[in-house]
């Protein structure tokens, strides 16, 4: 094994396109890295080396013919097991779906392939993709490579752990309540939840998503550099009419003033001192680069979080309860029971009222972003949680839900959010979440790159423990 697995996607793609190294060499190196470290973290739960090498050989043949192999030419990536990948089971962490074999690629997978990426494996998620922790009865328990005593995050915990450990330069994730942003935070990398409609996604293997999912669930990238997040984001955004929500929006918006809101207690949430220190650190980095920073509160997040949970659970209850009993996953059963306690079953009027009020909250947030193009907020009120802490007791679950207010509140409005890691407390990662208006991921990436440049570069690590 060489050191190609250490390279970021931007650097590796440039080397492959210029024929300094081949896509086949990069793929072999990524597979060797997978073999070396995955047994300790169980991030990748399905992979087929022969297919990976065949895809890499196809990229090499394109380059040899002088053809454009794409912006991700030969870059090893991973795909989450809740997205259709032709010929593989879309398990979503469920024994019930272990034989649900996809017949076609999800648009996000197809776009990554068209951009030249080479898939090295499929990454773990909790059962039903229903937690900020990653363990299920089919694929087992994913560990955080930085510290096995803390969660790798969820639901894209496998993607976060794999990317931090050097199994692929980019991880695909999904996010309806923090499932990209939180694993990035817990594993100490970066993760982008894009605006609703930015990245086309659809699973032909299953039924149409319920309305809550259609309004709030997105796919996006996790990576070790902001440049790689931007590169992967651009590739994932390509047109695919199979997703009716997809919008052909400009990747760069009009110039905006370098002004950011520093939000130290969004909608009254309490922060651990280490989290607050990370927010102030990020603000200082931006200020040193010429940004104006103003401390202020955010528009509402608490009621949007309640409505997000209600819209999601109200429709999930129609089919998920029976599936929960059939699956029998103890973690999922406990978590769903706690969520039902916090979110009573609504009647039709309550459901319609929630959809109606979504516009009100989105308007407040868009007005806020007219004043502050970027907001600096916590990813979580706490440092990454002790692994499996959410299933220890109902009280632990409620405390964790409160700490995740910024994760759950944002999706109701379909807004983008970027997790930027800023360092560690001991060996525990910490970071911030940047927010901006619809289709202004460019502002998030601009601010994120500035924060990143003032810190230490992220390099893959060998799993601890």
């Amino acid at each position: 094994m060489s050191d190609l697995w250490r390279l970021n996607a931007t650097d590796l793609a440039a080397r492959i396109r210029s024929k300094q190294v081949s896509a086949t060499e990069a793929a072999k190196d990524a597979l060797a890295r997978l073999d070396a470290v995955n047994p300790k973290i169980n991030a990748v739960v399905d992979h087929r080396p022969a297919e990976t090498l065949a895809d890499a050989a196809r990229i090499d043949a394109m380059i040899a013919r002088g053809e454009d192999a794409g912006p991700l030419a030969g870059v090893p990536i991973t795909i989450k097991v809740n997205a259709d990948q032709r010929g593989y089971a879309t398990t979503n962490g469920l024994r019930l779906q272990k034989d649900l074999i996809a017949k076609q690629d999800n648009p996000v997978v197809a776009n990554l392939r068209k951009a030249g990426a080479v898939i090295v494996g499929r990454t773990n998620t909790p059962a039903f993709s229903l937690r900020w922790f990653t363990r299920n009865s089919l694929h087992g328990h994913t560990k955080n490579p930085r510290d096995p005593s803390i969660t790798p995050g969820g639901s894209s915990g496998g993607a976060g752990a794999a990317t931090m450990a050097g199994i692929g330069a980019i991880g695909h994730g999904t996010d309806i309540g923090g499932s990209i942003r939180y694993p990035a935070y817990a594993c100490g990398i970066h993760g982008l939840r894009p605006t609703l409609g930015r990245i086309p996604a659809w699973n032909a293997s299953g039924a149409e998503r319920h309305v809550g999912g259609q309004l709030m669930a997105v796919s996006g990238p996790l990576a070790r550099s902001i440049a790689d997040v931007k590169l992967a984001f651009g590739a994932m955004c390509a047109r695919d009419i199979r997703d009716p929500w997809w919008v052909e929006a400009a990747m760069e918006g009009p110039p905006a003033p370098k002004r950011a809101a520093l939000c130290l207690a969004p909608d009254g949430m309490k922060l651990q001192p280490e989290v607050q220190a990370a927010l102030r650190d990020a603000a200082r980095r931006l200020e040193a680069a010429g940004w104006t920073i103003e401390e202020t509160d955010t528009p509402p997040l608490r009621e949007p979080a309640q409505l997000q949970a209600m819209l999601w659970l109200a429709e999930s209850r129609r089919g998920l309860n029976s599936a929960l009993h059939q699956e029998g996953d103890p973690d999922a059963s406990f978590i769903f029971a706690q969520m039902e306690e916090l979110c009573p079953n609504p009647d039709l009027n309550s459901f319609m009222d929630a959809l109606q009020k979504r516009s009100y909250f989105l308007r407040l947030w868009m007005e806020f972003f007219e004043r502050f193009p970027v907001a600096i907020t916590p990813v979580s009120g706490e440092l990454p949680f002790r692994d499996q802490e959410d299933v220890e007791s109902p009280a632990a679950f409620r405390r964790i839900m409160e700490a995740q207010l910024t994760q759950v509140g944002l999706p109701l409005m379909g807004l983008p959010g970027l997790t930027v890691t800023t360092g560690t407390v001991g060996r525990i990662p910490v970071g911030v979440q940047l927010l901006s208006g619809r289709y202004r991921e460019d502002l998030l990436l601009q601010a994120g790159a500035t924060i990143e440049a003032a810190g230490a570069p992220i390099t893959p690590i060998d799993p601890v423990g």
Side-chain angles (χ1 to χ4, degrees), residues 168-233:
I170 292 162
H172 158 258
T174 62
D175 189 314
I176 194 173
S179 288
I180 290 170
R181 294 164 288 149
Y182 191 69
Y185 176 72
C187 291
I189 56 176
H190 312 299
L192 175 66
R193 174 201 158 83
T195 307
L196 176 71
R198 266 294 195 187
I199 293 175
W202 170 65
N203 280 339
S205 66
E208 293 290 351
R209 296 204 75 156
H210 52 74
V211 170
Q214 289 187 36
L215 291 175
M216 297 182 291
V218 299
S219 281
L222 298 92
R224 297 185 301 268
S225 75
I226 296 295
D228 283 4
V229 171
K230 183 177 181 179
L231 185 68
F233 170 58

Side-chain angles (χ1 to χ4, degrees), residues 280-357:
R280 293 192 181 280
D281 175 37
R284 283 193 294 269
R285 296 185 195 186
L286 287 173
E287 200 166 34
W291 286 64
T292 300
I293 308 296
E294 181 178 331
E295 285 190 33
T296 186
D297 197 3
T298 63
L301 278 169
R302 198 165 295 278
E303 188 175 354
Q306 294 168 351
L307 296 181
Q308 188 266 14
M310 187 269 281
L311 284 172
W312 178 55
L313 290 175
E315 293 202 68
S316 296
R317 282 184 173 103
R318 294 193 296 166
L320 184 55
N321 275 335
S322 61
L324 273 166
H325 293 308
Q326 292 175 52
E327 181 65 24
D329 183 277
D331 294 338
S333 297
F334 179 85
I335 294 299
F336 193 70
Q338 305 314 306
M339 293 181 75
E340 284 194 310
E341 284 289 321
L342 295 177
C343 183
N345 201 1
D347 60 17
L348 178 60
N349 287 333
S350 298
F351 187 81
M352 297 300 291
D353 288 346
L355 289 174
Q356 185 176 350
K357 202 158 189 183

